[in-house]
Amino acid sequence: MERSRDAEPDEDDPRPDRAAALASLRELVASDRTRRDPGAALPLGVPALDDRLPAGGLGLGLPHEVAPEAEGDEPAALGFTLALIARHLGLAGGEALLVIAPGHPTPYGHGLSGLGLDPDRILLFEVGSDDEAYLAIEEALRTRGLRAVAGFLDAGLPLKQGRRLQLVAEASAPLLLVLRPARADLPNGAATRWRIGGAQGARDRFGCLLRPRWRVHLERCRNGRPGTWLLEWDHAAHRFGLPDALADHAPAARAGRS
Amino acid sequence: MRARIGTPLRVHPADPEADAAALVRLCLWAQRYTPCVAPFGSPEGGEGFFLDVEGASHLQGGEAELMADLAGRLSAHAIPARLALADTAGAAFALARHGSGRSIVPPGGCADALRALPIEALRLEAGLVTALKRLGLRRIGALAEAPRAPLARRFGEVLLTRLDQAQGHRPEPLVPIGEATAYGATRGFLDPISQQDTIVACVHRLMREIAPRLAADGLGACSLRLTLHRVDDVMRGLDLGFAEPTRCAEHVARLLRLRLERLGSDLDAGFGFETVRLDVTGTGAMLERQAALSAVAVPEPLALGRLADALRQRTGRRVIRLEPRASHVPERADMLAPWRNRAGRLRPSPEPVTRVTLNWPGPEDGLRPRPLVLFERSEATEVIALAPEGPPERFRWRRRLHRVAHAEGPERIAAEWWHAPAPARDYYVVECEAGRRLWLYRDGAHAPGEPAAWYVHGLFA
């Protein structure tokens, strides 16, 4: 009865094997990273951020969750999601599917093109419920014809559905994003979880709005480190960037430090 | 024998085949009123056709207008015709053949309208009519009041079926004349089938029969109609649509399986289907593709079409895309349209191009920024502006006070003159102190003494 698990062979040979055990454990932990080929990730193009992500970017074929920081930040979260898709399509080409559950707005075509995302490469699918959305996402992941699949869901990605989608997505490895409202905060199976808040935009020399800017909070990340950054989005170059406090106009610089 | 009085008679031999062909031509013409046109012939006591105008009469302005239009057009072509409109095909037939002139029976009035008509109007065999008359049953009213059981025993089920069908107690399936489909296949079964798997397997075989004929003409099926004839004479039609032309039997079978799964017990196989027919109702040009050695790998452009089809069959919703429209009024500048494959859109189409395809103008084309989310109905706000013509300073929207940190504008967008006149709008891009960006507009120019009407129309990322 008293035989605890610690009393197994470990205690007999203490020091030299500990290093080996640690090494094997590290290998085990890192296997999730190394099993995939290193190219299967979407780098955000910001070294400070990419260094914190396990594969040097958002892992393809893994679900990533984006949520607004508070009520009212929904457009910022939507913008960040679409910017990620625009960056991926800009790098890899191809088409993307947006599965839109009730409660989420359908994006405006001219707004999409203003964000650097060609509306002709976007397929929209409006569903009646989250269950239908999971079904559509799963079907889309099986297709292998899409570079990116995004679900605008009402309840986010519960553990079971998340696991299921991940198993399907591993084969085709598209960029898989889930956008959810601020309130639904359930444990879920996303590889990374992002919270996006609004921030005052980047200005040009004349004080006019130049680029959207968001407060990006990496809340949870498997095999990575969380953090908070102020990111801006360059729609023409399909690139994220950190605000350059020196080069910008004074009000923008102030916003950048806050 | 030679006729010598008046104009010389010209004798034509009877040509039933030409008559039938003419009737079919007339039926095809009558499809201008409704897609469901069913011809009937001499076995039923004269030639003519049924029009099922349910849900279609309003297109002509109503039932009376439809009848008048039909009669006018027929007489203009010197086609003698008798018309009647009723709840049931049987009643309409009876009134047209034996009624007085053109008549429209109000809903539920079939039994009354039929009462005074002779029993020939029921589309019965001549022998049966004679036998009934011998019994003194000359009118349909008398027949309807007679006890049913002895009638059924003596004259068989046919008589009561016809009577019930005319009075609307029993449904009468019409067999609509299809546009003669060039591609179709039928399979009959000695033992009726009802299992989903069997139906799918049968359709798979039918499609494989049709596919070579389509391939020979360089076409693919854009839409299919599956007709299932049940043992008890009820017809069930299922339409399948495709995002792009196909002739792949596996694809058709897979879509049908999804559709049947969604239908579930609504399919109502009853005692089973005895005939299954598959028709290609729409075709499109299909590029030749190199046949892959393995059937599993589907090329990417094809895969998206497959996905769109599968989702449509599974959920009944279509995959859509955004399409630009030539308008500078924001809410009219884009629209949702069913998704089509890009490769398919680029393909030269045989029909003339009637619409100019637009590309999306970007910020590089001088277009002012447009919001990521545009409200279908702009939302009214209370705005405090420093100057009456100036940008907003503070505004209350969705029960919250927003302070404006930065405003750009105005961008004046006037209503299109070919629509109803509306005041021009002054749009401002507004950034709140919380970092949220909105699109506000003032409706109409400032008028002294009148409060300005402000609206939030969209949200920026």
Side-chain angles (χ1 to χ4, degrees):
Chain A
M1 273 309 263
E2 288 299 305
R3 259 184 71 190
S4 72
R5 258 171 283 156
D6 303 62
E8 298 271 310
D10 266 42
E11 214 153 283
D12 302 335
D13 33 16
R15 285 288 151 128
D17 261 13
R18 178 169 269 183
L22 263 176
S24 72
L25 274 176
R26 280 211 181 90
E27 212 167 282
L28 200 69
V29 167
S31 68
D32 194 39
R33 193 189 314 183
T34 47
R35 195 182 49 196
R36 236 176 293 282
D37 52 353
L42 169 69
L44 272 73
V46 181
L49 216 158
D50 287 334
D51 287 349
R52 302 227 177 174
L53 294 167
L58 290 183
L60 302 182
L62 295 170
H64 302 280
E65 188 199 70
V66 181
E69 205 171 67
E71 301 261 340
D73 285 330
E74 286 86 4
L78 177 65
F80 181 70
T81 310
L82 292 173
L84 285 173
I85 294 174
R87 179 166 171 80
H88 189 51
L89 294 192
L91 291 175
E95 281 161 322
L97 174 75
L98 309 182
V99 179
I100 303 171
H104 286 277
T106 305
Y108 181 51
H110 295 277
L112 284 179
S113 67
L115 211 63
L117 191 56
D118 182 6
D120 283 344
R121 294 162 102 188
I122 299 290
L123 285 72
L124 298 170
F125 191 61
E126 293 175 323
V127 295
S129 67
D130 271 10
D131 288 340
E132 248 178 50
Y134 297 133
L135 186 150
I137 295 173
E138 195 183 322
E139 192 71 27
L141 292 174
R142 285 186 200 285
T143 305
R144 303 181 182 215
L146 291 162
R147 286 279 181 273
V149 180
F152 300 176
L153 301 173
D154 193 42
L157 197 62
L159 281 171
K160 198 168 78 182
Q161 280 86 345
R163 185 76 194 132
R164 191 178 163 85
L165 291 187
Q166 188 180 334
L167 285 175
V168 180
E170 266 172 4
S172 55
L175 177 66
L176 174 56
L177 298 170
V178 168
L179 179 68
R180 65 167 176 85
R183 57 189 155 70
D185 202 2
L186 302 162
N188 62 42
T192 62
R193 293 170 69 174
W194 302 82
R195 277 201 178 263
I196 313 298
Q200 296 206 350
R203 311 284 169 83
D204 62 5
R205 288 182 297 148
F206 308 104
C208 293
L209 285 170
L210 186 65
R211 284 190 285 270
R213 206 177 260 180
W214 304 298
R215 199 165 49 252
V216 173
H217 179 50
L218 177 57
E219 206 174 47
R220 193 181 156 278
C221 175
R222 211 183 292 156
N223 302 335
R225 281 179 300 153
T228 305
W229 302 268
L230 201 64
L231 281 191
E232 55 185 50
W233 170 246
D234 184 348
H235 68 85
H238 293 139
R239 198 166 52 206
F240 289 100
L242 294 172
D244 191 351
L246 289 173
D248 262 349
H249 198 245
R254 215 184 323 122
R257 267 202 301 280
S258 67
Chain B
M1 191 169 60
R2 193 172 288 177
R4 287 200 174 271
I5 309 164
T7 51
L9 277 179
R10 291 170 69 185
V11 178
H12 295 277
D15 189 354
E17 282 171 20
D19 286 350
L23 183 62
V24 167
R25 279 205 304 281
L26 196 61
C27 285
L28 290 178
W29 168 81
Q31 281 187 335
R32 69 199 309 280
Y33 295 103
T34 166
C36 183
V37 178
F40 54 81
S42 44
E44 307 194 291
E47 268 138 8
F49 54 84
F50 293 116
L51 293 178
D52 185 357
V53 295
E54 185 171 1
S57 55
H58 69 278
L59 297 173
Q60 303 289 333
E63 292 178 346
E65 284 77 6
L66 187 144
M67 294 275 281
D69 187 70
L70 181 58
R73 283 174 194 274
L74 286 174
S75 66
H77 288 91
I79 298 172
R82 294 172 65 93
L83 309 175
L85 196 149
D87 282 356
T88 63
F93 177 91
L95 285 161
R97 287 277 154 191
H98 303 274
S100 52
R102 202 192 313 160
S103 55
I104 297 178
V105 180
C110 276
D112 290 337
L114 287 171
R115 190 158 293 147
L117 294 179
I119 50 169
E120 287 96 330
L122 284 179
R123 295 177 285 168
L124 301 170
E125 288 166 27
L128 198 54
V129 171
T130 331
L132 283 168
K133 280 191 173 161
R134 205 169 293 148
L135 286 181
L137 296 168
R138 288 171 190 283
R139 305 270 156 198
I140 294 177
L143 193 62
E145 282 155 17
R148 291 172 66 91
L151 278 181
R153 208 162 45 234
R154 172 129 187 216
F155 299 105
E157 191 63 22
V158 185
L159 175 62
L160 290 182
T161 307
R162 284 300 191 198
L163 186 63
D164 288 349
Q165 281 177 346
Q167 290 178 328
H169 299 316
R170 201 180 288 197
E172 178 178 358
L174 295 178
V175 184
I177 183 170
E179 276 190 47
T181 49
Y183 309 97
T186 314
R187 193 161 294 241
F189 294 92
L190 214 53
D191 284 330
I193 58 168
S194 57
Q195 295 279 320
Q196 181 185 322
D197 290 342
T198 330
I199 298 173
V200 172
C202 170
V203 166
H204 184 254
R205 279 204 301 274
L206 290 175
M207 191 63 205
R208 278 178 56 181
E209 251 173 62
I210 299 172
R213 283 187 267 154
L214 285 168
D217 295 348
L219 294 173
C222 291
S223 56
L224 288 173
R225 163 164 274 243
L226 173 69
T227 319
L228 301 162
H229 293 266
R230 225 162 68 180
V231 178
D232 49 350
D233 267 354
V234 173
M235 242 172 44
R236 187 71 212 247
L238 285 176
D239 283 304
L240 296 174
F242 304 100
E244 57 188 353
T246 183
R247 44 179 185 248
C248 171
E250 284 77 20
H251 182 46
V252 172
R254 179 164 164 265
L255 289 188
L256 180 70
R257 186 179 297 278
L258 293 176
R259 178 65 172 274
L260 291 177
E261 267 167 19
R262 181 156 67 91
L263 273 177
S265 59
D266 283 349
L267 181 68
D268 194 12
F271 294 108
F273 301 105
E274 54 183 359
T275 312
V276 175
R277 177 162 182 84
L278 190 68
D279 280 307
V280 180
T281 48
T283 56
M286 194 170 160
L287 293 185
E288 294 300 328
R289 282 202 181 83
Q290 178 89 38
L293 276 178
S294 71
V296 187
V298 177
E300 267 186 27
L302 235 74
L304 288 187
R306 298 277 159 95
L307 171 70
D309 290 344
L311 287 177
R312 186 170 166 200
Q313 298 306 332
R314 191 82 180 262
T315 62
R317 297 168 200 275
R318 299 183 87 156
V319 175
I320 47 180
R321 68 192 174 88
L322 294 158
E323 205 171 73
R325 294 179 66 194
S327 171
H328 55 257
V329 176
E331 62 266 31
R332 293 200 202 110
D334 82 337
M335 63 184 277
L336 297 172
W339 180 83
R340 293 242 174 273
N341 207 335
R342 270 205 300 176
R345 269 181 276 149
L346 296 175
R347 190 181 305 152
S349 55
E351 58 257 41
V353 179
T354 51
R355 292 179 51 194
V356 183
T357 45
L358 298 161
N359 285 322
W360 295 87
E364 290 73 24
D365 304 318
L367 187 78
R368 301 291 307 151
R370 288 287 179 259
L372 193 56
V373 176
L374 192 80
F375 297 144
E376 238 166 81
R377 302 176 64 87
S378 42
E379 299 177 5
T381 58
E382 296 166 33
V383 164
I384 299 168
L386 281 187
E389 293 275 3
E393 191 71 21
R394 283 197 301 267
F395 61 97
R396 185 176 288 281
W397 176 62
R398 291 191 178 170
R399 283 190 242 161
R400 206 179 287 174
L401 190 69
H402 299 263
R403 283 170 194 283
V404 175
H406 175 78
E408 279 176 26
E411 177 191 0
R412 178 160 291 185
I413 298 179
E416 288 156 335
W417 57 264
W418 54 93
H419 283 112
R425 304 169 183 169
D426 283 347
Y427 277 92
Y428 289 89
V429 180
V430 159
E431 189 173 69
C432 303
E433 283 177 350
R436 286 163 199 161
R437 288 169 283 276
L438 298 95
W439 212 31
L440 269 71
Y441 71 86
R442 188 183 55 231
D443 208 18
H446 165 72
E450 264 182 52
W454 284 85
Y455 298 90
V456 176
H457 202 185
L459 305 170
F460 286 90

